[in-house]
Amino acid sequence: MTDDIKNRIRAIIAEQAMLEPEQITDDATPQDLGIDSLGLVESIFAIEEEFDISIPFNANEPEKSDFDISSMGTIIAAVERLVAEKG
């Protein structure tokens, strides 16, 4: 299940970054992948839609969000937690 979530998130991020999913590593930051703030917001919307969850992310004040966007690993972990809570 968690591998499935991770793979689906990687596919969404890869599409946004115009990379292959294999290039999305857990320690990569959105900046490493060439994703700007708008791209990140679009990715988050796509992830919310994919998993039918609401991500507590404020694009205007990302540092005040309860959603850690510092790396792909933290994004994946946060989405996994939200999906589990919804479950």
Side-chain angles (χ1 to χ4, degrees), residues 12-29:
I12 290 167
I13 299 288
E15 193 175 316
Q16 184 63 48
M18 290 183 274
L19 298 168
E20 293 302 315
E22 306 78 67
Q23 295 174 279
I24 312 297
T25 60
D26 283 357
D27 57 354
T29 67

Side-chain angles (χ1 to χ4, degrees), residues 73-85:
T74 59
I75 291 171
I76 290 167
V79 171
E80 286 172 344
R81 192 178 67 244
L82 290 166
V83 170
E85 285 169 6

Side-chain angles (χ1 to χ4, degrees), residues 15-65:
E15 193 175 316
Q16 184 63 48
M18 290 183 274
L19 298 168
E20 293 302 315
E22 306 78 67
Q23 295 174 279
I24 312 297
T25 60
D26 283 357
D27 57 354
T29 67
Q31 292 77 16
D32 291 341
L33 301 172
I35 297 175
D36 61 11
S37 54
L38 180 64
L40 189 60
V41 169
E42 289 177 2
S43 298
I44 287 172
F45 282 145
I47 291 168
E48 285 182 322
E49 209 168 276
E50 176 76 22
F51 297 102
D52 189 29
I53 56 173
S54 179
I55 292 175
F57 178 76
N58 181 337
N60 298 322
E61 301 180 281
E63 66 286 347
K64 291 187 180 166
S65 300

